[in-house]
Amino acid sequence: MSDQIKKALLEYTTRLGDDAVVLGHRISEWVSYGPFLEEDIAYGNVALDYIGRARMFYTYAAELANDGRDEDDFAYMRNDREYHNLLLLELPKGDFAYSQIRQLFADAYYTLVLPQLLHSKDERLAAIAAKGIKETKYHLRRSRDWVLRLGGGTDESHQRAQKALDQLWGYTHEMFDMDETEQLLADAGIGVDVSTLRDEWLAIVTEIVTNATLSVPEDSWAVRGGRIGYHTENLGHMLTEMQIVHRSHPGCKW
Amino acid sequence: MTLPQEENFMRKISAEEKIEPKDWMPDAYRKNLIRQISQHAHSEIIGMQPEGNWITRAPSLRRKAVLLSKVQDEAGHGLYLYSACETLGISRAEMIEQLQTGAAKYSSIFNYPTLTWADVGAIGWLVDGAAIVNQVSLQRTSYGPYSRGMIRICKEESFHQRQGYEAILALAKGSEGQKAMAQDALDRFYWPALMMFGPHDSDSAHSQKSMEWKIKRETNDDLRQKFIDQTVQQIEVLGLEHPDKAIKWNEERGHYDSSDLNWDEFWSVINGNGHCNRQRIEHHVAAHEEGEWVRDAITAYNEKKRAKQTQDAA
Ligand SMILES: [Fe+2]
Ligand SMILES: [Fe+2]
Ligand SMILES: [Fe+2]
């Protein structure tokens, strides 16, 4: 493996870990705040899946970095500017509709990304993808059901769901951007070329959104920057909370 | 004169046969059970708050995952116990209403704040630990659904207890700062954990009848003693100081002697005036109210779907 690819692979694996930990954290904020008990449990499940996935990516990233860091150093000892997650995933949980629409976008995305990653020439990435595929199918079924219920429920739930769609749409474009790092890995058969996935993603989302009697927003705006650490103002607050205990006791084991 | 059905009921109780939902039972037995099981269910649910308070700040990803799944287990216990209680003819909505209006109680322990990460370990170790002592005994309770629930739940509580102890152990064997955090958590949670067993038997309003009907199998004081005894060595292994300076082995009794508890504090918390009573209920009410439009959406969606199916069938 060339040094250039090695470096790209570390960055890529870290990004995927960042995506997973940030979304997992946001979902976990719902625990004990859900609309009913069954939903608290379901949210907990999804959060656990993402935290588990983050641990696998970071553990692999730590091995690639080979500089004595472990998974927690990746999660807890990097600042917001060093985090390279997608912006969509770091936005605050908002109301239930907002979180569910975000989840629909993310679940539809990973339903497409993971099967591609399964064919990665990098065995470790392929193995992590294999673990995630089944749970992602379940996640998508769940968010699909929710969007149908919210869209087709009451006027209020319909309005809230539509508002969430409109507010979040501009953050979805970034999911399909490629940069040099990702292009290098895609060409080497290691990473996923996400730019090829937008049509399929749009088809999945459109089908669900339309069935829910909601409308797919126009592509009139886009906010980008997660992959270069140009975040929304929210991530800093999230990490402040997430990292406070770990950083208050430097070098400690937990 | 006792009626034949009452005689039959008491015969089952003495023969250690389980009472099942469809069996005849005295009204007071039913009421007593509803009070106890719903209180237990509410404790599981309100208990999600003090621990949930640390999910977003857990100091490692592994601990975050462990805590998430623990809190999720507690939600599952609550759900399971609400269902067990529903077999007695009360709905979950009614029970939640009673919780929110203060008509139903939950364990006083959850009215103490979780101030540091070590509190999460202390809760798993001491609070789940105390709960297990009580619940192992309740596995032999006379009401079938409750007994089966306890058997199932106890397995998970033991797991929580081990994980909590392990989390405290990591702190106790860690840096000075971590160790101080562990000691502080022990000092704060030890006493309220002992209060979880309820008042002295002599002051317990429901104890006697509950024992007769074998809803409860051991007295508050006996269970508390068991917990005091088992905790002494656990504290030693941690290398922490015992919060009770009067703790002393009594050869004659075969138990540890200990200080009496602050019963004024106990009654004050039970009566709604602890550190977090208002906060816990407000949190529950706020989440419930914020979730109303979501629950309404489901109802409306299902109704529309049903209407459409009927129309399609016609
Ligand atoms: Fe529990
Ligand atoms: Fe319990
Ligand atoms: Fe527990």
Side-chain angles (χ1 to χ4, degrees):
Chain A
M1 203 188 292
S2 78
D3 278 358
Q4 206 189 7
I5 296 239
K6 245 184 158 167
K7 199 172 148 237
L9 181 57
L10 171 59
E11 164 68 17
Y12 185 60
T13 307
T14 308
R15 284 178 186 186
L16 295 175
D18 292 348
D19 284 348
V21 83
V22 167
L23 183 56
H25 185 99
R26 284 305 188 202
I27 303 168
S28 79
E29 291 175 342
W30 275 102
V31 174
S32 89
Y33 291 92
F36 46 91
L37 207 41
E38 286 83 348
E39 204 43 41
D40 267 356
I41 297 176
Y43 256 134
N45 266 328
V46 182
L48 271 169
D49 287 343
Y50 277 98
I51 299 297
R53 203 180 295 175
R55 294 185 65 192
M56 291 188 274
F57 281 126
Y58 283 153
T59 298
Y60 185 34
E63 284 170 35
L64 291 165
N66 194 25
D67 53 9
R69 286 186 292 167
D70 64 11
E71 58 176 52
D72 288 330
D73 290 312
F74 277 78
Y76 292 93
M77 297 306 289
R78 289 183 307 131
N79 296 327
D80 48 351
R81 301 280 282 127
E82 297 164 285
Y83 260 73
H84 288 173
N85 59 281
L86 297 164
L87 299 180
L88 174 75
L89 310 179
E90 75 192 38
L91 298 169
K93 76 184 204 299
D95 68 7
F96 191 77
Y98 191 85
S99 271
Q100 285 304 342
I101 296 291
R102 182 231 309 268
Q103 206 57 45
L104 171 69
F105 292 164
D107 294 340
Y109 182 69
Y110 289 115
T111 307
L112 300 171
V113 170
L114 294 178
Q116 301 256 336
L117 196 60
L118 185 65
H119 297 118
S120 171
K121 284 187 181 154
D122 186 287
E123 282 173 20
R124 295 290 298 278
L125 289 181
I128 298 172
K131 279 199 134 176
I133 285 176
K134 218 173 123 192
E135 60 198 31
T136 297
K137 264 191 204 149
Y138 156 78
H139 297 166
L140 180 61
R141 201 175 333 132
R142 191 179 107 81
S143 46
R144 176 182 172 277
D145 286 351
W146 266 118
V147 173
L148 290 178
R149 285 186 273 185
L150 295 178
T154 61
D155 284 347
E156 180 177 7
S157 68
H158 182 93
Q159 275 163 22
R160 285 181 189 249
Q162 188 61 53
K163 185 174 169 202
L165 279 165
D166 296 339
Q167 282 183 327
L168 289 167
W169 194 253
Y171 293 97
T172 62
H173 303 285
E174 182 188 47
M175 299 196 289
F176 308 98
D177 288 348
M178 293 291 284
D179 64 3
E180 250 175 72
T181 300
E182 295 194 18
Q183 197 58 57
L184 188 71
L185 292 174
D187 293 344
I190 293 172
V192 177
D193 184 351
V194 288
S195 69
T196 63
L197 302 178
R198 169 113 215 276
D199 290 347
E200 233 180 308
W201 178 87
L202 191 59
I204 296 174
V205 168
T206 303
E207 195 256 333
I208 294 170
V209 168
T210 316
N211 262 328
T213 68
L214 297 160
S215 35
V216 177
E218 306 262 322
D219 291 330
S220 56
W221 61 283
V223 177
R224 308 180 134 90
R227 295 300 191 211
I228 55 165
Y230 188 61
H231 289 281
T232 68
E233 290 175 349
N234 304 290
L235 185 68
H237 293 281
M238 194 198 105
L239 292 182
T240 301
E241 185 176 349
M242 184 177 120
Q243 298 175 338
I244 178 74
V245 179
H246 186 96
R247 289 199 184 206
S248 301
H249 300 262
C252 285
K253 290 275 166 267
W254 301 94
Chain B
M1 220 195 88
T2 33
L3 299 162
Q5 51 194 14
E6 190 164 353
E7 231 164 68
N8 190 34
F9 172 81
M10 281 316 293
R11 181 196 59 75
K12 279 191 203 162
I13 295 280
S14 11
E16 298 284 325
E17 279 175 39
K18 297 295 175 218
I19 307 299
E20 295 299 333
K22 291 208 171 92
D23 295 345
W24 183 90
M25 60 186 88
D27 258 0
Y29 176 84
R30 184 185 300 273
K31 265 201 193 131
N32 199 320
L33 268 175
I34 289 178
R35 187 188 52 79
Q36 182 165 336
I37 301 174
S38 70
Q39 182 172 318
H40 192 164
H42 298 324
S43 302
E44 304 282 354
I45 299 312
I46 296 297
M48 293 168 71
Q49 292 181 32
E51 291 188 279
N53 182 35
W54 285 91
I55 289 174
T56 55
R57 289 176 291 173
S60 75
L61 292 179
R62 183 172 79 89
R63 293 286 177 204
K64 194 186 186 73
V66 166
L67 180 57
L68 252 172
S69 72
K70 180 191 193 263
V71 174
Q72 203 188 13
D73 285 347
E74 307 301 3
H77 298 168
L79 206 54
Y80 197 81
L81 286 164
Y82 281 134
S83 309
C85 206
E86 281 178 325
T87 63
L88 292 160
I90 182 170
S91 71
R92 203 208 296 186
E94 285 172 283
M95 288 185 262
I96 286 177
E97 164 99 26
Q98 289 175 353
L99 168 69
Q100 296 187 343
T101 57
K105 307 268 187 238
Y106 56 89
S107 178
S108 57
I109 189 77
F110 300 119
N111 292 312
Y112 291 83
T114 50
L115 302 178
T116 75
W117 167 251
D119 292 7
V120 169
I123 288 184
W125 166 34
L126 297 170
V127 175
D128 287 67
I132 294 164
V133 170
N134 189 28
Q135 289 171 19
V136 163
S137 158
L138 285 173
Q139 291 179 352
R140 295 184 296 123
T141 191
S142 56
Y143 189 56
Y146 193 29
S147 162
R148 289 188 288 274
M150 285 302 99
I151 291 167
R152 196 172 127 167
I153 288 171
C154 266
K155 284 188 194 134
E156 286 180 357
E157 303 293 16
S158 312
F159 194 58
H160 298 163
Q161 202 258 350
R162 280 202 301 277
Q163 284 172 330
Y165 190 70
E166 195 235 314
I168 282 281
L169 188 64
L171 299 176
K173 303 293 175 202
S175 71
E176 278 310 304
Q178 286 177 307
K179 192 173 174 183
M181 211 197 286
Q183 182 70 56
D184 172 49
L186 170 59
D187 291 345
R188 281 183 289 111
F189 275 94
Y190 180 74
W191 305 103
L194 296 188
M195 294 180 195
M196 285 172 69
F197 295 97
H200 281 311
D201 300 331
S202 49
D203 302 325
S204 177
H206 307 283
S207 266
Q208 207 201 339
K209 214 55 190 156
S210 290
M211 295 287 289
E212 256 170 56
W213 280 329
K214 296 186 180 170
I215 294 176
K216 277 179 74 161
R217 304 305 309 250
E218 289 171 86
T219 69
N220 294 353
D221 287 326
D222 285 349
L223 291 166
R224 184 166 21 244
Q225 184 70 59
K226 234 180 231 183
F227 180 73
I228 289 172
D229 291 349
Q230 78 178 30
T231 306
V232 172
Q233 208 210 339
Q234 293 170 349
I235 295 176
E236 272 170 26
V237 172
L238 292 171
L240 298 178
E241 259 182 59
H242 201 296
D244 187 353
K245 301 305 166 219
I247 198 94
K248 195 167 178 270
W249 179 251
N250 182 325
E251 192 65 54
E252 209 173 300
R253 289 204 306 129
H255 290 293
Y256 281 93
D257 290 337
S258 56
S259 306
D260 199 17
L261 302 175
N262 182 346
W263 293 109
D264 290 343
E265 176 183 312
F266 173 80
W267 290 114
S268 150
V269 178
I270 288 285
N271 290 325
N273 297 318
H275 216 89
C276 303
N277 295 61
R278 285 167 183 80
Q279 179 194 332
R280 299 290 185 238
I281 294 299
E282 258 170 47
H283 176 138
H284 195 275
V285 170
H288 193 71
E289 281 175 2
E290 167 57 27
E292 192 174 0
W293 69 268
V294 181
R295 297 190 299 276
D296 288 347
I298 299 179
T299 312
Y301 178 75
N302 289 341
E303 267 165 24
K304 282 184 203 172
K305 222 171 132 180
R306 214 171 306 127
K308 194 172 175 296
Q309 275 164 359
T310 327
Q311 202 182 31
D312 288 353

